[in-house]
Amino acid sequence: MAAKWVRMVTAQTPTNIAVIKYWGKRDETLILPINDSISVTLDPHHLCTTTTVAVSPSFDQDRMWLNGKEISLSGGRYQNCLREIRACASDVEDEEKGIKIAKKDWGSLHILIASYNNFPTAAGLASSAAGFACLVFALAKLMNLSEDHGKLSAIARQGSGSACRSLYGGFVKWNMGKNEDGTDSRAIQIVDEKHWDDLVIFIAVVSSRQKETSSTIGMHNSVETSMLLKYRAQEVVPKRILQMEEAIKNRDFPTLAHLTCADSNQFHAVCLDTYPPIFYMNDTSHRIISIVEKWNRTEGTPQVAYTFDAGPNAVLIARNRNAATLLLQRLLFYFPPGDGVDLNSFLIGDKSILEDAGLKDAKDLEALPPPPEIKDNVPAQRYRGDVSYFICTRPGRGPVLLSDESQALLNPETGLPK
Amino acid sequence: MAAKWVRMVTAQTPTNIAVIKYWGKRDETLILPINDSISVTLDPHHLCTTTTVAVSPSFDQDRMWLNGKEISLSGGRYQNCLREIRACASDVEDEEKGIKIAKKDWGSLHILIASYNNFPTAAGLASSAAGFACLVFALAKLMNLSEDHGKLSAIARQGSGSACRSLYGGFVKWNMGKNEDGTDSRAIQIVDEKHWDDLVIFIAVVSSRQKETSSTIGMHNSVETSMLLKYRAQEVVPKRILQMEEAIKNRDFPTLAHLTCADSNQFHAVCLDTYPPIFYMNDTSHRIISIVEKWNRTEGTPQVAYTFDAGPNAVLIARNRNAATLLLQRLLFYFPPGDGVDLNSFLIGDKSILEDAGLKDAKDLEALPPPPEIKDNVPAQRYRGDVSYFICTRPGRGPVLLSDESQALLNPETGLPK
């Protein structure tokens, strides 16, 4: 044990977007929700967290760096995850490196953690979901946990509720559970990411001048003051969960779209019914909804679903590549980039969709015709700069280990950030 | 009866603003609501409709002019009101003018109507409420109805639901009623306008680029699609109605303020829960709410209540003249007039409040300090031009007859608009 070794594990975990929303806790410490929720995991190529965890007898305290900056681990959420994971740790032996850790040693060994999001943080893109899922997954590998993903999911939940859903790819359901200790409040996979692989997902990162209410405070206030939330959780969501699971299994896009939009709207309705009221959507969010609703109505069957989390950003799920192309043309018509922003930084993620849409440069954007569903005599208004940028992505897989040590965020000798 | 006479009546009726909202009909033809509602009638000096109705054996059809422009009376709502009123008409005799109309004659006599709003129409200021109330009140006087205001209220309701509440001054309750024929769905006065006369009311007319959903279509869609509306109507509103009546009777401003704000927010929550969702409030509306909430919180007890109808305009109820002065300073700090708009046209209604607030001209506006409740280090943002203008008013009386013929909108000889 005295040898100067560092054991390190690096993992990558996707973020996820709820299509049936989680809003409201019945236990704020254990993070137990008042209803089930369902999410789609996003392709980690475009939106994920990479986390390296290291253990060494030479470390004298637990430390963590997020996007290169050291942050405190003293918060209850980190402490809960670390304690729960340590409690499940097993013996580890790596003969090659001369490492031997007994189960009982984990309580006294310290951990260093480095985490990095491949997308802008604080843009309201659920970075804490990917972050806690990745931390728990990486620690589980480091400590050789024999527990299945379900157990890991229940641990990640104690870091950030929605993190429990990022332990799986594809479509995922978080069962609220019934036990007081939360052991049955964990995620399960409904279908993997290959089951419905023609979906295309856009995220519109909306410029906002408003300071937003954190989702922790927001849902606390909703539980305390919204009379509609209780009804939603008890009467509305259970039915929608069953319908959504069916829709996903059957790849029934119209039902998925209808439920996704209606549930997003109802979540924001509950926020408005909270006292004092919470506004996460702004005029740009409203415009995106109106554009999608108008197009869907014109087509006679939904081409796109929209959903909004605790912020103004829109997540748009297109039924297939063709619909995604037509959607992108609409989005870029209404929300062209602000001055000096080039197309290459305005659409990130899967940029090949630009080619499908026949868009190569700023000139093509300016030449986009108004969508045919606009029949009004008034010329369509364009809202330049109201969307900061778009991300094009798709449903993706769950967490993976990165065995290539060059991808590690910590130095294999010192355990400190590279 | 063959003599060439014109009998004319002119009336003035205020508009009203709901503090417990009406949203959703159980009968769309009779206009029967799914819950009770409560409103405050506004001072007709600032917001009212004036209507002149005339009858003469020489008229060969019913006709109407609204704000000087002829409009069709063929719609069901006008027809229902006219039919109901005619059914209650009595004998009329005016010896001086040589007029004698028997009860049975009313079915064959035609009516000319001219109506005028003393506030901008289509600004979302409930002009139809004042309009139908005034039409019914004026016709009732013309036709010498012996029915009380309750019956008139039930007739006005068939023109526009909220019109039934404009038959009374002060605070008014619209009982939803139980009868299938709607005879018990009518307004009653809770207290008159003198009961609580220190309230001051501001209306912020908010600039909007959005085309709004009409309230008729909006409430139809809500009844059809919002799962939360049913719960609101059955479980939430009945309790609030009782609490609001008590608060009004006791002049309990904190309770009035809390219920008014919460009920406005819940109405807009239901609109969001409607499919497709309806957005009546915009970013400016949200900002006004945030400003009021922040100030109320800082003061420890509510100084101002806000409520929004089917549009972005804010109605703000200040607890007294002092609070109104402080509110006005805040409103004009955050929402100064756009370029070229002078203070005199930017605040209409009771302009004497400007003097109380120490504001004489544009220079005073620019010099307004940020409200003390702003403690952030970031300088407060001002939203120039986002409010088109403000109206300062107060609770007011119900309909009155205008006996001075110079105020009539129709020519006493011809019955045509002056």
Side-chain angles (χ1 to χ4, degrees), chain B residues 15-31:
Chain B
T15 188
N16 71 78
I17 299 289
V19 290
I20 299 291
K21 299 295 187 192
Y22 151 53
W23 195 252
K25 303 184 183 83
R26 65 180 201 275
D27 183 314
E28 298 204 356
T29 307
L30 289 171
I31 310 191

Side-chain angles (χ1 to χ4, degrees), chain A residues 252-320:
Chain A
D252 169 0
F253 189 80
T255 304
L256 171 100
H258 179 75
L259 289 171
T260 298
C261 299
D263 205 67
S264 172
N265 294 334
Q266 188 169 86
F267 151 51
H268 292 278
V270 164
C271 289
L272 238 177
D273 189 50
T274 298
Y275 207 84
I278 308 164
F279 319 110
Y280 286 126
M281 294 199 289
N282 64 18
D283 286 350
T284 304
S285 317
H286 292 171
R287 274 184 203 115
I288 293 172
I289 291 179
S290 299
I291 290 161
V292 168
E293 289 288 354
K294 187 166 203 166
W295 184 35
N296 281 345
R297 207 162 48 244
T298 306
E299 294 289 337
T301 182
Q303 305 299 305
V304 185
Y306 54 82
T307 186
F308 296 73
D309 280 343
N313 299 337
V315 177
L316 301 165
I317 308 175
R319 65 184 308 157
N320 55 33

Side-chain angles (χ1 to χ4, degrees), chain A residues 23-140:
Chain A
W23 194 252
K25 303 183 183 85
R26 65 180 200 276
D27 183 314
E28 298 203 357
T29 307
L30 289 171
I31 310 190
L32 303 177
I34 58 172
N35 56 252
D36 296 346
S37 55
I38 293 177
S39 61
V40 56
T41 297
L42 300 187
D43 188 339
H45 289 102
H46 308 130
L47 290 158
C48 75
T49 296
T50 303
T51 300
T52 300
V53 292
V55 64
S56 167
S58 65
F59 300 162
D60 58 358
Q61 58 174 319
D62 294 340
R63 294 175 73 184
M64 176 166 180
W65 293 264
L66 176 60
N67 294 324
K69 204 181 144 190
E70 183 158 12
I71 61 164
S72 167
L73 282 172
S74 63
R77 293 171 167 226
Y78 282 109
Q79 289 301 314
N80 289 346
C81 285
L82 289 168
R83 186 193 61 243
E84 293 280 311
I85 283 278
R86 281 190 166 109
C88 304
S90 298
D91 297 344
V92 169
E93 192 162 354
D94 183 335
E95 284 190 14
E96 197 184 311
K97 292 198 177 174
I99 301 174
K100 199 168 174 180
I101 309 171
K103 190 175 162 64
K104 64 173 174 52
D105 297 332
W106 284 107
S108 55
L109 284 166
H110 291 287
I111 309 286
L112 302 189
I113 305 160
S115 197
Y116 172 79
N117 299 321
N118 73 344
F119 55 93
T121 32
L125 295 173
S127 53
S128 67
F132 275 102
C134 205
L135 174 65
V136 168
F137 181 80
L139 288 173

Side-chain angles (χ1 to χ4, degrees), chain B residues 45-335:
Chain B
H45 289 102
H46 308 130
L47 291 157
C48 76
T49 296
T50 303
T51 299
T52 301
V53 291
V55 63
S56 167
S58 65
F59 300 163
D60 59 359
Q61 57 174 319
D62 294 340
R63 294 175 75 183
M64 176 167 179
W65 292 264
L66 176 60
N67 295 323
K69 203 181 144 189
E70 183 158 11
I71 61 164
S72 167
L73 283 172
S74 64
R77 293 171 166 225
Y78 282 109
Q79 289 301 314
N80 289 346
C81 286
L82 289 168
R83 187 193 62 244
E84 294 279 312
I85 283 276
R86 281 190 166 107
C88 304
S90 298
D91 296 345
V92 169
E93 194 165 352
D94 182 336
E95 283 189 15
E96 198 184 312
K97 291 196 176 178
I99 300 174
K100 198 169 174 179
I101 309 171
K103 189 175 163 63
K104 64 174 176 51
D105 297 333
W106 285 107
S108 54
L109 284 166
H110 291 287
I111 309 287
L112 302 189
I113 304 160
S115 198
Y116 172 80
N117 299 320
N118 72 343
F119 55 93
T121 32
L125 296 173
S127 54
S128 67
F132 275 102
C134 204
L135 174 64
V136 167
F137 182 79
L139 287 174
K141 295 296 172 188
L142 184 78
M143 300 187 186
N144 195 23
L145 263 66
S146 56
E147 275 74 10
D148 61 8
H149 274 204
K151 172 67 181 178
L152 299 190
S153 162
I155 297 174
R157 189 203 72 227
Q158 296 175 58
S160 171
S162 55
C164 74
R165 297 184 310 233
S166 272
L167 266 300
Y168 299 93
F171 282 90
V172 181
K173 177 182 170 189
W174 175 8
N175 283 313
M176 62 179 285
K178 286 176 182 165
N179 300 348
E180 268 189 40
D181 64 0
T183 44
D184 58 347
S185 185
R186 48 174 72 183
I188 54 163
Q189 188 177 59
I190 301 173
V191 295
D192 72 16
E193 65 277 13
K194 291 182 201 83
H195 170 78
W196 198 348
D197 63 357
D198 45 358
L199 298 176
V200 178
I201 299 173
F202 286 100
I203 300 170
V205 178
V206 169
S207 321
S208 170
R209 298 192 288 188
Q210 300 285 101
K211 195 179 149 195
E212 282 146 28
T213 309
S214 84
S215 56
T216 301
I217 290 169
M219 65 176 86
H220 172 86
N221 288 350
S222 291
V223 169
E224 294 286 312
T225 65
S226 170
M227 306 181 88
L228 302 184
L229 176 56
K230 208 177 158 185
Y231 181 76
R232 161 179 165 74
Q234 290 177 358
E235 303 294 329
V236 181
V237 174
K239 294 187 191 85
R240 286 185 176 169
I241 288 282
L242 296 174
Q243 293 166 342
M244 183 62 94
E245 282 190 272
E246 274 304 294
I248 290 166
K249 285 175 186 159
N250 300 330
R251 289 190 289 262
D252 168 0
F253 190 80
T255 304
L256 171 102
H258 179 74
L259 289 171
T260 298
C261 298
D263 206 67
S264 172
N265 293 334
Q266 188 169 86
F267 151 51
H268 292 278
V270 164
C271 289
L272 238 177
D273 188 51
T274 298
Y275 206 84
I278 307 164
F279 318 110
Y280 286 126
M281 295 198 289
N282 65 17
D283 286 351
T284 305
S285 318
H286 292 171
R287 275 184 202 116
I288 293 171
I289 291 180
S290 299
I291 290 162
V292 169
E293 289 288 355
K294 188 166 204 167
W295 183 36
N296 282 344
R297 208 162 46 246
T298 306
E299 295 289 336
T301 182
Q303 304 299 304
V304 185
Y306 54 81
T307 186
F308 295 74
D309 279 342
N313 299 338
V315 177
L316 302 165
I317 308 175
R319 66 184 309 157
N320 55 33
R321 187 87 178 174
N322 181 47
T325 304
L326 296 169
L327 172 62
L328 183 63
Q329 289 169 342
R330 282 163 174 82
L331 292 172
L332 294 178
F333 171 79
Y334 286 108
F335 303 103

Side-chain angles (χ1 to χ4, degrees), chain A residues 229-241:
Chain A
L229 175 55
K230 207 177 159 186
Y231 181 76
R232 160 178 166 74
Q234 290 177 359
E235 302 294 329
V236 181
V237 174
K239 294 186 191 86
R240 286 186 176 168
I241 288 282

